[in-house]
Amino acid sequence: MENSGYSLSAPQNYPEIIPSLIDYIGSKRVAGFDSIEANNNVSDHSQEAGYQPSLTDGGSEVPISQNDASQTIKSQHSVSISMPSSPVGALLQSPKRVLFSDKNETIPANEALHTSAQSETASSQQPKTKYYSQPMPRGSANPEVVIDGACLHHFRERLRNPRMDRLKDKRFDPFKTWSGRLERQISNLRGKPQEEPEANVSQSTEIEALPVDRYFDALEGPELDTLRASEEIVLPEDKQWPFLLRFPISSFGICLGISSQAIMWKTLATSPSTDFLHISLTVNLVLWCISLVLTAIVSLTYILKVILYFEAVRREYYHPIRVNFFFAPWIVLLFLALGVPPSVAKNLHASLWYILMTPIFCLELKIYGQWMSGGQRRLSKVANPSNHLSIVGNFVGALLGASMGLKEAPIFFFAVGLAHYTVLFVTLYQRLPTNETLPKELHPVFFLFVAAPSVASMAWAKIQGSFDHGSRISYFIALFLYFSLAVRINFFRGFRFSLAWWAYTFPMTGASIATIKYTNEITNPVTQSLSVILCSVAMLTVTALLITTCIHAFVLQNLFPNDIAIAISDKRPKSQRKWFHLRTGSSDTRDIENYLKFAFPDSKDNEASPKAQVPDDEALGPNNGHNV
Amino acid sequence: MEAHNASPTQQIRIAVKVETSPTTTEPVNNVVVAEQHLISQILIQFHAGYFRIGLSLCCQALLWKTLREGEDQGDIALFTTGTLSVVYLLRCLLHFEMVKAEFLDHIGVNYLFAPWISWLLLLQSSPFLSPKTFHYLILWWVFTVPILALDVKIYGQWFTKGKRFLSMVANPTSQLSVIGNLAGSSAAAQMGWKEAALFLFSLGMAHYLVLFITLYQRLSGSSSIPTMLRPVSFLFIAAPSMASLAWDSISGTFDISSKMLFFLSLFLFLSLVSRPTLFKKSMRRYSVAWWAYSFPLSVLALASTRYAQEVKGGVAHGIMLGLSALSVFVSLVLMLFTALNTNMLFPGSTSPSPYNSGSIE
């Protein structure tokens, strides 16, 4: 460890406050190590060797109570790593050390102060010592100069303004567009008082695109949004991030859910086979207007996010599951066009269709090409049920185009969608061992399986003119998948609610609409009752989801939690390589075993761990165990 | 000196750079003194991959025939394919063990389909033989039986043999087997043999489905194809177009299934063309692999021609003209490059063996 750093003289250009801090940290250093070891075995909420210095008295130790053991371990490690008391000092010592073993580590001085300042002001919060990782620019030429300036500047600012204004919180800068320069430009334009010119604009240069492996290593869960215990994130965890940073692209799922409901009620009202229900078109009108408003709100918010926090949007794009949601806005627009009430517009112009399909086409070219050309984002590695969102757009576009009377272009999209759907379907059914993203348990995301065949059947019926054999085959496949998921409903348990669940309701609605279309063709009591049942189920699900959403929004106030998935660091924390290598579903015995293995590491033990972390797909060789 | 390391059972080959070209009309036997030496050198280095040239030219011939609705431009194609076939026949006779080695290589084996495809395409584009004649029939059998034999061997291996599972050996050139079946099918349909055509079509399509999915999954990553052979990815375009043409011949009109196959092919073309970085490395130096660009483009242009003839719209005609022009342009450019780089046609000591350029990875 970089233990030599702390013992050097305090940097002269820092105010006096620092030396006491340094001394305090130094005196507790050994204790920190001991307590980490103890905590590993005990794994309780032990008192952290308080790295919570305060400005006033360098000796008080604020006990940190962690919420769970993993947090303890995590923060322990973050504490132990950020040993060098003064980055500037470490810099003077050896420039390489600045990067603290070449990963995103902290600048303890200012952050510690920041923490203490924060804990003073927010007493209701759980004060935790978090050393916030700041992303280091890769390959930056003069890291030491950069850090120096950053520390200095931050420190000065903190001293001047201990009450932090969240908008001016520099920690979120790397996620802002052009690292916050755009925001400053906007403030300049609005005539706000100019802040101190950043001496270190280069500090928050663009982070390179994260390789997909990082997402798999750092996250877990069916939606890949839960941080693994061994990982750290580059943004503060205990603080609520700016709203835009917490606004994921999966929020478009709400629009998907509601607009598909609008289509369903329109179909119910206009189909001859459901005339006996006497549904009026008003429901469709109301729902359509609601979905229009919702879409506008969500789109505007996300556009703001793109403008102001482009880096966060980029990270979402590179997330193997969230990337599929980039199709969602266009699918929503297609749904809106499909569900437009007859009182609003009778016939839509064909050029609208071309406008709506162009973004889908471009996205497709990119994403399907990634699947095919291999590399880190090849399909056998990233296939997951959310990929259905990438495929369904083709079928929805074909359906809309055929409804508008276009002839050739809907067939084009149908063909492309069908070919790629076959590939995806087979891949998901195979559950390849190289596939890391498939949830092991049932999860609402599996309902997306129903989406593609049901919409494809409707599209084919529109293209051919009648609900013929091809449509029926597709519809029956959708029905079968629906039932095989519905009978397993009791296995859908124990999942954290997320906004993406809205996206999983539109397949149910799609299946109901397909059933209505089928009933139009084959009208008898069985099909009619089936359509009524499926429509009611869809409606109930959406209502339940609406209530849950409202509860989370207004009562629990956690509808938009911190979006951990975009804030993963781009390198595995070094200490984890030493102490653990947790993969999915680590067991306690494995933890202890690994701990004992690395309990007394050599000083140069780091090379042992990378070897041990052979990714699954490479470990099995090129055939990945298919020679059975 | 080069070491040919396709598999552990390979032998070491010593190859010497030879200055010659198969497409020139200069007969090799002008060289009096070292005639036999030269011939054997050519035979040693000639591999089935050279049939790419034949494939492309034959397909061009067919394209021209379709475009002009009758007139034939197949002279060069006929000559080239004839020459290539003769050379390969000699190689079979004199260096059979090398042919065998090629057969065992997971990329080379697919190019064994290439001569038969070329001949079948030539047959279809031939002005002399009408599809109803007896000679056409005989020739069709002559060309299709080897394809069927290869099918049985290779497809059987895919799901039975221990070492050559599909998941291991699948690579874009495997689509050549599918294209072979489809070419036979379309030729048979022209003869009026609907059942045989349907048989070959279903055989081809069933295996195409499996192959398409396997290739898209990229189970083994992009390591199964050497970088120099990246142009063969264009075969992704060729297979659906060929299927579209075959179904067109079988059903009589360019109906919706043919259209869907054509659109799929068009999409894959756009997808590959928008990724030029994939091919950058292989374009640095001329190699006979470059001819892999030409055949798929020609097949796509053919399909677009049939599509435009069926749909008769402005957009369809535009697509047809664009694709045809592109395929002709590419073929001409390739012929030019081949003429300029005749010494590169038979790579000598400086370049590795044709299927294992992965060493330059």
Side-chain angles (χ1 to χ4, degrees):
Chain A
M1 282 303 206
E2 305 86 333
N3 46 12
S4 58
Y6 90 99
S7 56
L8 38 77
S9 56
Q12 281 70 20
N13 45 359
Y14 269 59
E16 296 311 309
I17 217 98
I18 285 294
S20 64
L21 179 61
I22 296 174
D23 289 340
Y24 174 78
I25 292 177
S27 69
K28 281 294 177 186
R29 195 178 67 78
V30 175
F33 268 100
D34 293 341
S35 59
I36 288 173
E37 291 181 359
N39 272 335
N40 261 346
N41 281 334
V42 176
S43 109
D44 60 355
H45 308 297
S46 63
Q47 186 180 17
E48 194 174 4
Y51 285 100
Q52 177 121 16
S54 67
L55 274 168
T56 49
D57 52 354
S60 71
E61 192 176 292
V62 179
I64 288 104
S65 58
Q66 306 296 339
N67 285 330
D68 53 335
S70 63
Q71 290 281 338
T72 309
I73 295 169
K74 190 170 14 163
S75 47
Q76 291 283 1
H77 284 283
S78 66
V79 161
S80 68
I81 287 168
S82 47
M83 266 318 298
S85 52
S86 111
V88 179
L91 286 169
L92 295 175
Q93 186 78 337
S94 62
K96 277 209 177 7
R97 290 276 183 82
V98 163
L99 296 178
F100 302 129
S101 313
D102 203 32
K103 61 186 156 43
N104 304 340
E105 278 310 319
T106 74
I107 303 168
N110 58 325
E111 298 308 343
L113 291 166
H114 162 230
T115 314
S116 60
Q118 178 201 9
S119 64
E120 279 160 15
T121 54
S123 54
S124 57
Q125 278 186 3
Q126 296 269 1
K128 296 180 199 171
T129 298
K130 280 289 168 244
Y131 286 99
Y132 311 110
S133 307
Q134 295 228 350
M136 298 301 187
R138 290 248 191 101
S140 77
N142 305 318
E144 54 271 25
V145 172
V146 160
I147 305 273
D148 192 348
C151 289
L152 205 50
H153 176 82
H154 282 141
F155 190 70
R156 280 200 202 123
E157 212 190 54
R158 294 297 158 259
L159 280 189
R160 258 187 231 117
N161 186 13
R163 248 199 63 222
M164 280 183 331
D165 185 4
R166 193 157 66 176
L167 279 178
K168 297 199 174 63
D169 192 346
K170 294 291 170 293
R171 290 169 299 164
F172 298 107
D173 265 358
F175 282 72
K176 296 188 182 166
T177 312
W178 299 333
S179 316
R181 289 200 284 276
L182 179 64
E183 211 182 22
R184 284 190 285 277
Q185 287 284 60
I186 295 176
S187 337
N188 285 349
L189 286 173
R190 286 166 64 193
K192 285 250 172 91
Q194 179 78 339
E195 275 192 19
E196 266 198 26
E198 294 285 340
N200 56 334
V201 189
S202 61
Q203 176 207 2
S204 30
T205 41
E206 308 291 301
I207 312 166
E208 284 176 9
L210 289 178
V212 82
D213 276 331
R214 272 306 294 153
Y215 287 99
F216 289 138
D217 288 342
L219 298 166
E220 59 184 357
E223 286 165 17
L224 266 190
D225 55 0
T226 323
L227 198 64
R228 283 191 214 257
S230 53
E231 292 288 334
E232 295 174 351
I233 55 173
V234 302
L235 291 179
E237 269 181 43
D238 51 342
K239 203 169 169 307
Q240 210 185 34
W241 303 350
F243 176 72
L244 283 180
L245 267 186
R246 291 183 280 130
F247 191 78
I249 184 129
S250 29
S251 319
F252 277 101
I254 309 181
C255 314
L256 272 176
I258 306 271
S259 48
S260 57
Q261 280 286 308
I263 304 178
M264 184 180 91
W265 286 99
K266 177 181 176 183
T267 319
L268 271 174
T270 55
S271 290
S273 59
T274 49
D275 272 343
F276 65 95
L277 291 169
H278 302 294
I279 313 271
S280 90
L281 273 170
T282 325
V283 189
N284 164 244
L285 184 65
V286 168
L287 278 172
W288 190 82
C289 294
I290 293 177
S291 58
L292 190 66
V293 168
L294 260 175
T295 310
I297 295 176
V298 173
S299 312
L300 268 162
T301 320
Y302 205 77
I303 289 177
L304 271 176
K305 184 177 179 180
V306 169
I307 295 175
L308 291 176
Y309 284 100
F310 186 68
E311 187 55 37
V313 172
R314 257 180 92 213
R315 278 168 166 248
E316 276 202 290
Y317 181 71
Y318 290 123
H319 189 280
I321 296 198
R322 298 276 178 89
V323 66
N324 302 300
F325 281 88
F326 278 83
F327 282 89
W330 317 109
I331 302 181
V332 170
L333 291 174
L334 286 172
F335 277 169
L336 283 175
L338 273 169
V340 64
S343 47
V344 173
K346 266 270 185 274
N347 286 318
L348 295 169
H349 201 259
S351 55
L352 176 70
W353 187 83
Y354 287 105
I355 295 175
L356 286 178
M357 291 309 286
T358 310
I360 293 187
F361 182 69
C362 298
L363 261 176
E364 271 183 354
L365 272 183
K366 180 89 175 91
I367 304 244
Y368 297 165
Q370 268 178 351
W371 290 358
M372 179 165 72
S373 60
Q376 51 166 333
R377 284 174 204 274
R378 59 187 184 273
L379 189 59
S380 56
K381 199 163 175 197
V382 304
N384 63 82
S386 312
N387 286 128
H388 283 285
L389 277 172
S390 317
I391 309 270
V392 132
N394 290 307
F395 294 128
V396 180
L399 176 60
L400 181 64
S403 327
M404 283 178 169
L406 297 167
K407 284 271 176 289
E408 298 298 312
I411 301 180
F412 176 86
F413 281 100
F414 189 87
V416 172
L418 184 64
H420 293 89
Y421 174 64
T422 324
V423 178
L424 181 68
F425 187 73
V426 172
T427 311
L428 287 175
Y429 246 90
Q430 280 176 333
R431 283 192 164 253
L432 292 168
T434 51
N435 195 322
E436 308 190 33
T437 44
L438 270 183
K440 306 282 184 300
E441 317 82 17
L442 272 184
H443 184 270
V445 74
F446 277 93
F447 271 99
L448 279 177
F449 268 93
V450 180
S454 45
V455 184
S457 76
M458 288 190 280
W460 189 248
K462 262 291 181 327
I463 290 175
Q464 292 291 77
S466 70
F467 211 86
D468 69 347
H469 293 305
S471 305
R472 290 181 203 193
I473 290 175
S474 188
Y475 168 66
F476 292 143
I477 293 176
L479 210 58
F480 173 75
L481 289 167
Y482 195 155
F483 282 135
S484 71
L485 285 172
V487 299
R488 293 183 166 79
I489 198 77
N490 50 330
F491 289 120
F492 290 93
R493 293 189 173 285
F495 297 108
R496 194 172 53 89
F497 172 77
S498 86
L499 269 178
W501 285 29
W502 276 96
Y504 311 145
T505 61
F506 92 85
M508 286 191 226
T509 320
S512 337
I513 305 174
T515 313
I516 299 175
K517 297 269 193 246
Y518 178 64
T519 313
N520 280 342
E521 194 80 16
I522 313 252
T523 318
N524 63 53
V526 175
T527 56
Q528 281 177 318
S529 48
L530 184 64
S531 46
V532 171
I533 291 175
L534 286 181
C535 287
S536 347
V537 168
M539 188 185 61
L540 284 170
T541 315
V542 169
T543 318
L545 213 52
L546 187 67
I547 295 175
T548 320
T549 311
C550 290
I551 292 178
H552 276 272
F554 302 120
V555 176
L556 295 174
Q557 308 238 342
N558 66 345
L559 188 62
F560 293 104
N562 283 349
D563 197 5
I564 310 280
I566 60 168
I568 57 176
S569 54
D570 58 349
K571 280 242 171 83
R572 191 179 281 253
K574 188 183 176 213
S575 66
Q576 299 314 314
R577 288 190 245 149
K578 270 190 105 155
W579 296 101
F580 300 105
H581 47 96
L582 295 171
R583 304 293 282 174
T584 33
S586 62
S587 65
D588 284 338
T589 47
R590 231 171 103 196
D591 289 356
I592 296 178
E593 198 185 321
N594 285 329
Y595 160 67
L596 286 174
K597 227 191 281 179
F598 297 114
F600 305 100
D602 307 329
S603 56
K604 297 182 184 58
D605 194 47
N606 299 330
E607 64 270 15
S609 26
K611 262 196 308 247
Q613 289 168 18
V614 170
D616 286 337
D617 50 349
E618 280 149 45
L620 293 176
N623 43 332
N624 292 314
H626 281 291
N627 281 347
V628 191
Chain B
M1 293 278 265
E2 68 180 37
H4 182 63
N5 289 321
S7 73
T9 60
Q10 283 297 329
Q11 49 196 328
I12 308 276
R13 289 203 299 181
I14 302 170
V16 176
K17 201 166 169 177
V18 172
E19 299 262 338
T20 183
S21 154
T23 55
T24 59
T25 51
E26 284 271 337
V28 178
N29 47 21
N30 269 350
V31 182
V32 178
V33 176
E35 177 184 313
Q36 263 199 336
H37 184 55
L38 205 59
I39 290 181
S40 77
Q41 278 170 358
I42 295 172
L43 289 179
I44 286 172
Q45 295 190 52
F46 187 82
H47 56 85
Y50 283 88
F51 272 99
R52 286 188 196 110
I53 307 177
L55 262 183
S56 315
L57 293 173
C58 295
C59 200
Q60 275 291 300
L62 191 55
L63 174 66
W64 279 105
K65 180 179 178 200
T66 317
L67 273 174
R68 291 176 168 223
E69 308 241 343
E71 282 183 46
D72 175 51
Q73 302 288 320
D75 308 328
I76 299 181
L78 182 62
F79 177 77
T80 313
T81 316
T83 319
L84 288 171
S85 306
V86 164
V87 175
Y88 204 77
L89 198 62
L90 281 175
R91 180 176 149 103
C92 285
L93 292 172
L94 298 177
H95 293 274
F96 186 67
E97 70 283 357
M98 294 203 163
V99 176
K100 196 151 178 246
E102 230 180 320
F103 184 72
L104 293 174
D105 176 56
H106 70 283
I107 297 181
V109 69
N110 299 304
Y111 275 99
L112 293 176
F113 282 94
W116 314 112
I117 303 177
S118 317
W119 282 113
L120 277 168
L121 287 172
L122 261 182
L123 191 63
Q124 278 188 281
S125 67
S126 142
F128 313 118
L129 292 172
S130 147
K132 305 292 177 197
T133 64
F134 185 66
H135 294 103
Y136 193 102
L137 180 68
I138 294 291
L139 283 174
W140 182 84
W141 272 108
V142 166
F143 300 142
T144 312
V145 165
I147 291 187
L148 279 170
L150 275 170
D151 272 351
V152 169
K153 184 87 176 95
I154 293 174
Y155 291 159
Q157 268 181 352
W158 280 3
F159 69 99
T160 54
K161 188 125 183 185
K163 277 207 193 132
R164 289 192 211 105
F165 285 149
L166 180 60
S167 51
M168 283 175 61
V169 305
N171 63 81
T173 58
S174 311
Q175 291 171 66
L176 273 172
S177 58
V178 171
I179 295 175
N181 288 316
L182 295 170
S185 158
S186 112
Q190 285 204 341
M191 272 199 309
W193 281 31
K194 276 279 165 39
E195 296 307 311
L198 208 49
F199 170 73
L200 284 170
F201 182 80
S202 41
L203 189 61
M205 284 314 280
H207 291 93
Y208 179 56
L209 181 69
V210 176
L211 194 55
F212 185 72
I213 293 176
T214 312
L215 287 174
Y216 239 99
Q217 284 179 337
R218 299 306 296 252
L219 286 169
S220 51
S222 48
S223 55
S224 61
I225 269 268
T227 329
M228 291 303 284
L229 286 183
R230 286 265 172 88
V232 304
S233 308
F234 265 62
L235 279 173
F236 272 107
I237 305 171
S241 294
M242 206 69 189
S244 159
L245 288 168
W247 187 251
D248 173 39
S249 304
I250 293 176
S251 68
T253 62
F254 206 83
D255 66 353
I256 196 166
S257 314
S258 299
K259 282 188 200 172
M260 294 210 318
L261 286 163
F262 167 62
F263 287 141
L264 175 65
S265 178
L266 194 61
F267 178 80
L268 290 169
F269 166 69
L270 289 171
S271 173
L272 280 173
V273 149
S274 60
R275 285 168 188 275
T277 49
L278 263 184
F279 304 104
K280 224 169 28 175
K281 242 187 185 173
S282 60
M283 298 295 287
R284 286 212 194 117
R285 219 167 33 122
Y286 174 78
S287 80
V288 86
W290 283 21
W291 277 95
Y293 289 130
S294 164
F295 168 66
L297 287 176
S298 313
V299 180
L300 183 63
L302 254 175
S304 74
T305 313
R306 288 291 302 127
Y307 175 67
Q309 284 170 355
E310 179 78 19
V311 172
K312 299 193 210 341
V315 176
H317 267 99
I319 297 177
M320 169 187 92
L321 286 172
L323 286 172
S324 311
L326 183 65
S327 79
V328 170
F329 174 71
V330 167
S331 302
L332 286 173
V333 165
L334 279 172
M335 279 198 265
L336 190 69
F337 266 96
T338 309
L340 288 176
N341 289 299
T342 49
N343 57 327
M344 292 298 292
L345 269 182
F346 287 104
S349 49
T350 50
S351 53
S353 63
Y355 304 127
N356 292 294
S357 319
S359 51
I360 322 178
E361 196 80 27

